[in-house]
Amino acid sequence: ILTILGNSAVLATAVKRSSLLKSPELLTVNLAVADIGMAISMYPLAIASAWNHAWLGGDASCIYYALMGFLFGVCSMMTLCAMAVIRFLVTNSSKSNRNKITKTTVCILITFIWLYSLLWAILPLVGWGYYGPEPFGISCTIAWSKFHNSSNGFSFILSMFLLCTVLPALTIVACYLGIAWKVHKAYQEIQNTDKIPNAAKLEKKLTLVSYPTVGFLSSWTPYAAASFWSIFNSSNSLQPIVTLLPCLFAKSSTAYNPFIYYIFSKTFRCEIKQLQCCCGWQVHFFSSDSTAENAVSMMWSG
């Protein structure tokens, strides 16, 4: 519920101010699409299976669930990587080079991200890697436990780990370290105290854009650790609760990005104040006159 409401608010504000969106903000929209797509396509099945104490459906629904999770997970990771790279290029480029990052360029990049994610998601369907149930039995993912005795599966998981996790994560870290170094050098070079607020504003923006990345990586790290344990050891060596909690923690990554935007982005807060939720689902847009602005408020519950 939090994922759908929060990311729907992000998409609604993006549609409302579509003509004012900057090209890098399209990646934020793409991240919201991936998060809400994961919630709609996967979570109902997992919730119903939890109430049933066993996976509902057969192999087809299990493969569907695992494929959706892999598709949207890789898409989120690559989107965060693209956001970090573009932020780094914008921070370290001249104004003329910044203008080269147009909406068309970002749209092409987003298309590549989805095609790249789809490619990795369908590879297990064509024989490289496997999909299967989680050890606790109420959701499905890549069949990690089959890889310790299968060269085909092991090569897939190793390639996926390097190209979809390690390389993007290292790129993200390197880009934000580069931005932080740029901010640090700007502080050192400032001689006029009137420019200090501008540097502080730049640092605040750096903090804002890095929070979703840090949150995503930290939430998925326990799941990656449990999964790699299953590669080299029997899945029975871990208690069901040990494999369940990292999975739930990883899935929670889809919910908190809108709240981070709300806390740290003044623009997003202003747009949210112009939305009114009716019955928790319908969203209406109001005019910007003072009466409407005083009447409209956004309430977050849960």
Side-chain angles (χ1 to χ4, degrees), residues 244-255:
L244 174 62
L245 290 179
C247 181
L248 295 178
F249 190 52
K251 298 294 177 21
S252 71
S253 65
T254 61

Side-chain angles (χ1 to χ4, degrees), residues 111-167:
T111 302
F112 172 78
I113 288 173
W114 281 102
L115 292 176
Y116 184 81
S117 305
L118 181 62
L119 172 64
W120 280 101
I122 64 176
L123 284 176
L125 301 181
V126 297
W128 194 29
Y130 312 95
Y131 286 134
E134 300 267 19
F136 49 87
I138 58 173
S139 68
C140 298
T141 185
I142 298 172
W144 304 94
S145 59
K146 293 184 179 181
F147 295 152
H148 67 278
N149 55 5
S150 170
S151 58
N152 175 47
F154 186 79
S155 62
F156 170 77
I157 197 62
L158 182 62
S159 301
M160 184 274 293
F161 179 68
L162 291 175
L163 298 178
C164 297
T165 305
V166 174
L167 185 60

Side-chain angles (χ1 to χ4, degrees), residues 45 55-68 131-134 139-141:
L45 270 173
W55 178 252
L56 290 177
D59 293 338
S61 63
C62 184
I63 292 174
Y64 160 80
Y65 183 94
L67 186 145
M68 291 295 104
Y131 286 134
E134 300 267 19
S139 68
C140 298
T141 185

Side-chain angles (χ1 to χ4, degrees), residues 1-13 32 35-36 39-40 254-255 258-259 268 272 275 277-283 298-302:
I1 292 173
L2 292 177
T3 297
I4 292 175
L5 289 179
N7 288 287
S8 294
V10 173
L11 296 179
T13 57
D35 288 345
I36 201 172
I40 293 174
T254 61
F259 295 94
F268 186 55
I272 286 296
L275 299 176
C277 291
C278 296
C279 300
W281 296 102
Q282 296 180 354
V283 178
M298 181 67 179
M299 297 184 63
W300 294 90
S301 62

Side-chain angles (χ1 to χ4, degrees), residues 56-277:
L56 290 177
D59 293 338
S61 63
C62 184
I63 292 174
Y64 160 80
Y65 183 94
L67 186 145
M68 291 295 104
F70 198 14
L71 171 65
F72 291 120
V74 174
C75 181
S76 297
M77 185 65 172
M78 300 310 297
T79 300
L80 290 170
C81 180
M83 290 170 66
V85 171
I86 288 182
R87 294 290 182 182
F88 176 79
L89 294 177
V90 168
T91 303
N92 292 273
S93 301
S94 61
K95 188 174 181 179
S96 59
N97 290 330
R98 294 175 192 173
N99 295 331
K100 294 179 181 179
I101 305 177
T102 62
K103 288 186 177 181
T104 302
T105 303
V106 176
C107 287
I108 294 174
L109 179 59
I110 290 174
T111 302
F112 172 78
I113 288 173
W114 281 102
L115 292 176
Y116 184 81
S117 305
L118 181 62
L119 172 64
W120 280 101
I122 64 176
L123 284 176
L125 301 181
V126 297
W128 194 29
Y130 312 95
Y131 286 134
E134 300 267 19
F136 49 87
I138 58 173
S139 68
C140 298
T141 185
I142 298 172
W144 304 94
S145 59
K146 293 184 179 181
F147 295 152
H148 67 278
N149 55 5
S150 170
S151 58
N152 175 47
F154 186 79
S155 62
F156 170 77
I157 197 62
L158 182 62
S159 301
M160 184 274 293
F161 179 68
L162 291 175
L163 298 178
C164 297
T165 305
V166 174
L167 185 60
L170 291 178
T171 302
I172 290 170
V173 172
C175 288
Y176 283 121
L177 286 177
I179 296 173
W181 177 252
K182 181 74 173 181
V183 173
H184 174 70
K185 295 296 290 183
Y187 269 120
Q188 289 186 332
E189 294 174 0
I190 288 176
Q191 300 296 331
N192 187 350
T193 56
D194 294 337
K195 295 182 179 180
I196 291 179
N198 294 330
K201 184 178 180 181
L202 180 59
E203 185 179 42
K204 183 179 179 181
K205 289 183 177 180
L206 168 63
T207 304
L208 168 63
V209 299
S210 65
Y211 268 126
T213 301
V214 173
F216 183 88
L217 293 177
S218 61
S219 63
W220 280 92
T221 298
Y223 181 78
S227 300
F228 266 80
W229 175 270
S230 300
I231 295 176
F232 301 101
N233 302 274
S234 172
S235 58
N236 296 328
S237 61
L238 294 175
Q239 294 295 324
I241 192 67
V242 176
T243 57
L244 174 62
L245 290 179
C247 181
L248 295 178
F249 190 52
K251 298 294 177 21
S252 71
S253 65
T254 61
Y256 55 68
N257 283 339
F259 295 94
I260 293 175
Y261 301 148
Y262 185 83
I263 294 172
F264 290 96
S265 175
K266 183 178 180 180
T267 301
F268 186 55
R269 287 198 304 271
C270 292
E271 293 294 335
I272 286 296
K273 289 178 181 179
Q274 299 180 36
L275 299 176
Q276 181 181 26
C277 291

